[in-house]
Amino acid sequence: MKILVCISHVPDTTSKINFTEGDTKFDTNGVQFVINPNDEFGLTRAMWFKEKQGATVDVVNVGGAETEPTLRKALAIGADSAIRVNTPATDGIYVAKQLAKVFKDGGYDLVIAGRESIDYNGGMVPGMLAGLVGANFVNTCIGLEIEGNEATVIREIDGGKETLRAALPLVIGTQKGIVEESDLRIPNMRGIMQARKKPMNVVEPIETNTNTEAVKFEKPEPRGDIKMIDPENLDELVDLLHNEAKVI
Amino acid sequence: MSVLVYTESEEGKFKKTALEVASYAKGVADMLGTGVTAVTFNAGDTSELGKYGVSKVLKVNSDKLKKFNAKAYTDALKQAVEKEGSKVVVLSQSANAKYLAPLLAVQLEAGYASNVVALPESTDPLQVKRTAFTNKAFNFTNITTDVKIIGVSKNAFGLKESSAELSEEEFSPNLSDGDFSVEVVSVDKAADKVTIADAEIVVSGGRGMKGPENWGMLEELAETLGAATACSKPVSDMGWRPHSEHVGQTGKPVAANLYIAIGISGAIQHLAGVNASKTKVVINNDPEAPFFKAADYGIVGDAFEVVPKLTEKLKKFKSDNA
Ligand SMILES: Cc1cc2nc3c(=O)[nH]c(=O)nc-3n(C[C@H](O)[C@H](O)[C@H](O)COP(=O)(O)OP(=O)(O)OC[C@H]3O[C@@H](n4cnc5c(N)ncnc54)[C@H](O)[C@@H]3O)c2cc1C
Ligand SMILES: Nc1ncnc2c1ncn2[C@@H]1O[C@H](COP(=O)(O)O)[C@@H](O)[C@H]1O
């Protein structure tokens, strides 16, 4: 089985978010980049298929050279090789079309991507990829077993979960739950050393369109002051929630 | 040319988000000088949609579509868009809508903007305001395709009544076997519980609750308010509560009217996922807890004393106002 794990290179969750160039560009100054958390859960599940079912695991990112340390980290966690499509990730469909090319060229059986990236929060790349290549797709995946050509997938729905069955090739959008937090791997010294020797294949992008254009950014208004309430006077809170906030 | 809206129902009844996206679609339709067509799947009485500005309903009634199926629903919606010649499609950000939106975008060669929080800034070009960086910023996006899909965040727009003369039409899309290549084997859903996705009010507990055995008081508070229960990440990591209750940047987003955080410190990753909520109440025994900087109302106190008392007060309030 050949698995492709899509890795989005995102600011660390503690990053302060600022913009430059008249609020049109994300300010990367002093920002640490990491593997998108949803992708990290997916990558860990891919390692299980590698170790238990003999799968090969490639990781891919659509982005500039600055994303290579993030891909190297995925290699250190255990992926076999990395692919970087050498172009900025302009919008969802643009990235999905680049990934579709990688998918077809590599003949993958399974693509694991995140439910969403924590930077742009598009929530669209995996579904678009599946739609473009005609593969089956399951989103918000929290469980995945594969036997032969058949996958059994558990999907989180609002208020519960659902079990689905689909043939490969399959694309999943995944999140925490596909593996436990405690199963996540921190690259060890040996992994880091090995990762240096693993292939980092840089491929050039195909020419294609975008459908959306991020024009500018804005930071939320700083909020007003908090009202403190004496724990001995909870009637005041009930009153404020009813008459001021009008939420009860 | 009408604006098409996907109005989700459950067991024949419309969800609140369905009425919200209908209201939004009406707002867009007014900007464009057109009407709103809703697509429903196995919904019963659709007259309620008329109150939120829908003028036409395409009713899909099919046993094959009893269970949500992303590909099949996508195919049906695509055919509805083509039938109506719609240029704008509006949907919610429920788990199901988020599942099918990118598939529909590919089918229609449409640009899709997710997490949209307001009516378009302009219609030519169509520009929308959406959240990015998990609520740490807003992003203005132009959708540059002929057909455009807008995913509207829950509670961002609210319900706007504007009655329209409603006409109904049966609609039978052509579905192929390929539409069911992903088969739904079973659905496991707690019928009586309020879900985080639907809830107006969310009661959330953190590590300050000390252990799973103490959740009874949060559940009682939640039940009093008709709220859903949620938790911080470490609480679900430790197995005190199910993963499905984990909220925050890497968990579920919460956009409730009221979010009550109990024994939660207010780490940046937690706040990112919940600060789209309108009103936030914090109960924490440490006056230095960072959450106090991000909330509307705060109580410095021991949750084990404050929560039961608050529940009593709210019970009284509810019965006085019943
Ligand atoms: C990559 C990454 C992603 C993350 N994503 C998320 C996420 O999505 N969601 C999330 O929640 N976290 C997330 N976190 C974790 C986050 O950084 C915090 O560790 C976490 O939110 C803390 O949870 P907590 O507030 O429950 O616990 P703590 O930080 O331990 O806070 C407990 C609080 O309870 C208070 N307390 C103690 N006893 C009482 C009492 N008797 N009465 C009242 N108050 C009391 C304390 O004063 C304290 O403020 C993430 C972290 C990382 C690194
Ligand atoms: N530039 C990219 N390169 C590789 N994978 C990506 C890229 N952008 C998004 N993805 C994948 O698609 C998922 C959802 O991203 P998004 O649609 O941007 O929210 C991410 O979690 C990744 O797995």
Side-chain angles (χ1 to χ4, degrees):
Chain A
M1 178 165 58
K2 284 192 77 177
I3 303 179
L4 182 67
V5 181
C6 302
I7 302 287
S8 148
H9 160 89
V10 298
D12 170 48
T13 54
T14 56
S15 304
K16 292 265 179 291
I17 304 298
N18 290 305
F19 301 99
T20 57
E21 296 180 37
D23 285 337
T24 58
K25 293 247 155 33
F26 174 58
D27 184 0
T28 56
N29 222 326
V31 171
Q32 274 268 21
F33 281 84
V34 295
I35 300 177
N36 185 41
N38 291 318
D39 305 351
E40 200 177 347
F41 287 106
L43 177 63
T44 307
R45 186 65 189 154
M47 288 302 109
W48 186 93
F49 287 114
K50 175 177 160 152
E51 285 153 18
K52 298 288 184 340
Q53 297 190 347
T56 61
V57 178
D58 294 344
V59 288
V60 63
N61 172 263
V62 177
E66 71 282 2
T67 73
E68 286 192 9
T70 302
L71 284 172
R72 285 272 175 226
K73 185 177 173 205
L75 293 174
I77 289 171
D80 298 302
S81 76
I83 303 161
R84 181 172 66 81
V85 183
N86 186 28
T87 177
T90 330
D91 83 335
I93 196 74
Y94 181 83
V95 170
K97 286 187 174 173
Q98 304 301 336
L99 293 173
K101 171 87 172 25
V102 171
F103 173 86
K104 283 182 193 148
D105 290 349
Y108 293 97
D109 304 294
L110 172 67
V111 180
I112 300 181
R115 168 194 75 185
E116 71 171 17
S117 55
I118 62 165
D119 54 355
Y120 194 68
N121 307 117
M124 58 181 82
V125 168
M128 285 177 168
L129 168 62
L132 289 169
V133 302
N136 285 324
F137 174 54
V138 179
N139 206 7
T140 53
C141 169
I142 52 169
L144 174 66
E145 302 289 340
I146 292 174
E147 212 145 325
N149 191 40
E150 228 353 74
T152 305
V153 196
I154 301 173
R155 171 171 90 95
E156 186 173 283
I157 56 176
D158 294 333
K161 57 191 176 185
E162 173 175 284
T163 305
L164 307 107
R165 219 171 8 231
L168 303 182
L170 170 72
V171 178
I172 60 162
T174 193
Q175 59 187 58
K176 186 173 103 165
I178 189 158
V179 298
E180 294 300 316
E181 179 81 15
S182 52
D183 294 331
L184 288 180
R185 298 178 188 196
I186 297 158
N188 58 21
M189 211 46 204
R190 187 156 158 270
I192 294 167
M193 296 301 286
Q194 283 175 338
R196 290 192 187 149
K197 291 190 220 98
K198 289 180 180 172
M200 173 73 62
N201 302 304
V202 178
V203 301
E204 289 309 312
I206 54 167
E207 247 182 71
T208 185
N209 61 306
T210 60
N211 286 347
T212 56
E213 186 193 348
V215 186
K216 63 180 194 296
F217 294 91
E218 186 180 283
K219 299 231 284 182
E221 299 277 315
R223 46 186 316 115
D225 277 344
I226 184 167
K227 274 195 188 147
M228 297 306 288
I229 290 137
D230 186 335
E232 298 306 323
N233 189 11
L234 293 173
D235 286 322
E236 187 190 346
L237 179 63
V238 175
D239 179 62
L240 287 167
L241 290 176
H242 181 58
N243 292 313
E244 188 179 73
K246 300 189 168 40
V247 289
I248 60 169
Chain B
M1 278 296 282
S2 58
V3 172
L4 196 100
V5 58
Y6 167 41
T7 42
E8 294 161 89
S9 55
E10 207 165 286
E11 302 189 350
K13 279 202 57 175
F14 291 106
K15 299 192 182 189
K16 190 193 151 204
T17 51
L19 306 177
E20 186 174 17
V21 289
S23 307
Y24 184 96
K26 171 66 175 157
V28 179
D30 286 346
M31 291 173 80
L32 293 171
T34 180
V36 178
T37 302
V39 181
T40 64
F41 293 88
N42 299 317
D45 179 5
T46 61
S47 57
E48 201 178 3
L49 295 176
K51 288 193 211 128
Y52 299 93
V54 174
S55 47
K56 179 174 173 184
V57 182
L58 295 178
K59 289 184 85 164
V60 181
N61 282 312
S62 159
D63 281 344
K64 280 167 120 181
L65 300 176
K66 276 253 152 69
K67 287 189 205 134
F68 175 82
N69 185 307
K71 226 171 163 183
Y73 275 47
T74 298
D75 199 5
L77 286 169
K78 172 186 182 240
Q79 291 173 43
V81 170
E82 285 167 353
K83 176 177 149 60
E84 292 296 299
S86 299
K87 298 296 181 199
V88 179
V89 180
V90 177
L91 37 73
S92 80
Q93 297 284 274
S94 69
N96 288 352
K98 279 188 168 176
Y99 185 3
L100 69 72
L103 297 173
L104 186 62
V106 168
Q107 289 285 314
L108 294 170
E109 295 185 26
Y112 165 45
S114 55
N115 305 322
V116 170
V117 292
L119 279 180
E121 306 285 311
S122 62
T123 54
D124 191 18
L126 189 95
Q127 185 176 97
V128 289
K129 180 178 182 177
R130 56 188 298 282
T131 54
F133 297 94
T134 328
N135 293 319
K136 290 178 192 166
F138 294 109
N139 157 233
F140 294 86
T141 290
N142 288 351
I143 309 181
T144 52
T145 43
D146 183 32
V147 180
K148 302 155 181 83
I149 304 178
I150 303 177
V152 184
S153 286
K154 189 192 133 193
N155 267 340
F157 189 70
L159 301 183
K160 305 254 181 326
E161 293 202 18
S162 66
S163 59
E165 195 69 40
L166 189 71
S167 72
E168 269 187 15
E169 200 177 296
E170 295 287 328
F171 178 59
S172 309
N174 288 316
L175 299 175
S176 68
D177 287 348
D179 284 331
F180 298 90
S181 62
V182 177
E183 181 199 354
V184 184
V185 183
S186 63
V187 181
D188 176 6
K189 200 166 167 173
D192 51 340
K193 257 199 97 174
V194 188
T195 67
I196 295 170
D198 288 337
E200 300 290 318
I201 303 179
V202 173
V203 172
S204 190
R207 200 143 57 181
M209 291 307 297
K210 308 283 191 286
E213 67 281 5
N214 298 323
W215 244 262
M217 68 175 96
L218 297 198
E219 276 168 349
E220 199 180 342
L221 174 59
E223 202 175 308
T224 308
L225 290 166
T229 50
C231 67
S232 67
K233 178 165 172 287
V235 165
S236 75
D237 288 343
M238 289 182 294
W240 296 359
R241 300 295 292 176
H243 285 313
S244 56
E245 290 197 3
H246 159 202
V247 297
Q249 187 165 14
T250 54
K252 283 207 175 64
V254 180
N257 282 334
L258 173 60
Y259 182 74
I260 306 181
I262 303 164
I264 299 176
S265 57
I268 186 166
Q269 298 97 347
H270 186 87
L271 296 179
V274 305
N275 65 15
S277 297
K278 298 234 164 65
T279 301
K280 275 154 279 177
V281 175
V282 173
I283 302 171
N284 197 305
N285 62 1
D286 173 8
E288 301 295 317
F291 216 139
F292 286 117
K293 294 207 173 64
D296 304 281
Y297 305 112
I299 297 173
V300 177
D302 183 350
F304 295 83
E305 287 165 22
V306 175
V307 173
K309 272 198 225 160
L310 180 61
T311 306
E312 285 319 306
K313 301 276 184 202
L314 286 164
K315 277 186 178 157
K316 180 160 183 307
F317 168 82
K318 291 272 168 186
S319 67
D320 291 351
N321 288 273

